[in-house]
Amino acid sequence: MHKTADILESKNHVESITNIKPTIGIILGSGLGSFADTLEGAVHIPYSNIPHFAKSEAVGHSNELVIGSIGGKNVVAMKGRFHYYEGFTLDQVTFPVRLMKALGVEKLIITNACGAVNTDFSPGDLMLITDHINLTANNPLIGPNNPDLGVRFLDVSEVYNKALRSIVIDVAKAQNITLRQGVYAWWTGPAYETPAEIRMIRTLGADAVGMSTVPEALIARHAGIDTVGISYLTNMACGILDQPLSHEEIIETAEKVKTAFLKLVTETISRF
Ligand code: HPA
């Protein structure tokens, strides 16, 4: 469990660099880190300089906190995130969400690349996460609870905030962007799923599968931050098409959704 003093130390570091007080946080998934470059008057803080942050080496991520403004809102963006499959503990994966809370973040947008399990969906679609299924048998809240940070037994009946979700739906409609809605299943990775595992995941009720988001969303809920999750479906999940999955294909598809994603997220932030 995160320590109050550690969070304070990392907050003090950030606040020694900028006076901007962010109220909205965003975690940027693979290939979409460029959203952070659209923030105005931004400061860039490498994770390696922030006390108690882990060091990340994931491909396609640049590993810095970017704090600036867009649509009249002060935003802190994570350009690059920590994944469980990299070997980080879930405390390390989710520490940045505690920092966001300490900095004043009230609303969080979590984004990710994921595979489409629902065969009505297509690569290139955006999906608003309505709920999740944790398939990993791990949970970032395991361990002694720090009562400064949240409750021991967390209600998770609405991890992805309904009122905020309806704003995202309205924005997508206004922008003529197709926005799917569905359940995200968290798979540890780093291996993708087998065809049999995808059949299992579909049977369990998930529409998409990926290797992130759920730990951060759970900690955000614990911290009292209202969250939405926006996925971009980069591929049909394994076994749906008769072809292997590749990370290159995923990054390529992420590149193609960039324009719609940037539009949707930018307008959403201005209405949050
Ligand atoms: N499975 C798991 N994670 C992913 C996928 C997938 O098919 N695509 C992008 N991230």
Side-chain angles (χ1 to χ4, degrees):
M1 179 47 64
H2 302 119
K3 295 191 179 71
T4 309
D6 292 353
I7 298 164
L8 201 62
E9 215 179 310
S10 89
K11 166 186 144 91
N12 288 342
H13 175 77
V14 170
E15 291 184 342
S16 74
I17 294 170
T18 178
N19 293 325
I20 304 170
K21 302 277 176 226
T23 57
I24 298 175
I26 181 164
I27 302 175
L28 298 163
S30 309
L32 295 182
S34 63
F35 170 79
D37 304 327
T38 69
L39 297 180
E40 292 149 29
V43 293
H44 297 247
I45 309 173
Y47 293 164
S48 53
N49 292 352
I50 304 176
H52 309 290
F53 262 46
K55 315 278 172 263
S56 173
E57 287 161 10
V59 186
H61 293 292
S62 66
N63 305 323
E64 59 182 12
L65 218 54
V66 183
I67 304 177
S69 72
I70 192 161
K73 300 281 162 63
N74 290 338
V75 173
V76 51
M78 281 187 77
K79 200 173 176 185
R81 58 145 62 85
F82 303 101
H83 296 94
Y84 188 45
Y85 65 72
E86 293 175 272
F88 296 117
T89 64
L90 290 180
D91 266 3
Q92 290 176 311
V93 169
T94 59
F95 185 83
V97 177
R98 297 295 189 193
L99 169 61
M100 285 184 180
K101 173 74 181 182
L103 292 173
V105 165
E106 294 162 357
K107 298 178 180 123
L108 175 64
I109 302 172
I110 308 183
T111 70
N112 63 60
C114 63
V117 172
N118 184 329
T119 54
D120 292 338
F121 295 176
S122 306
D125 286 348
L126 297 174
M127 186 189 90
L128 184 63
I129 301 177
T130 54
D131 201 353
H132 71 229
I133 298 174
N134 180 354
L135 293 171
T136 69
N138 203 346
N139 190 299
L141 294 168
I142 289 176
N145 188 53
N146 177 348
D148 294 347
L149 305 181
V151 297
R152 169 75 294 187
F153 297 105
L154 182 67
D155 169 62
V156 283
S157 52
E158 195 180 312
V159 176
Y160 306 92
N161 186 272
K162 226 171 179 171
L164 296 186
R165 272 191 272 149
S166 80
I167 294 174
V168 182
I169 293 166
D170 288 348
V171 170
K173 270 195 200 130
Q175 296 182 331
N176 257 324
I177 291 170
T178 304
L179 182 67
R180 310 292 195 171
Q181 295 189 52
V183 173
Y184 175 94
W186 176 33
W187 189 253
T188 67
Y192 295 112
E193 308 73 27
T194 65
E197 286 160 348
I198 291 301
R199 289 194 296 276
M200 172 192 80
I201 290 167
R202 186 181 301 115
T203 303
L204 292 176
D207 298 288
V209 61
M211 305 176 192
S212 67
T213 299
V214 169
E216 296 106 316
L218 286 170
I219 291 300
R221 185 87 297 276
H222 189 248
I225 299 174
D226 292 335
T227 298
V228 288
I230 303 173
S231 294
Y232 36 103
L233 307 174
T234 51
N235 55 282
M236 295 312 289
C238 186
I240 297 176
L241 305 174
D242 191 18
Q243 64 186 47
L245 303 189
S246 79
H247 183 68
E248 288 68 31
E249 175 202 350
I250 285 164
I251 296 298
E252 260 172 46
T253 312
E255 186 63 34
K256 287 184 194 146
V257 302
K258 208 150 133 182
T259 310
F261 173 86
L262 293 182
K263 260 177 70 181
L264 179 70
V265 166
T266 303
E267 179 63 19
T268 295
I269 286 175
S270 76
R271 296 205 204 173
F272 265 14

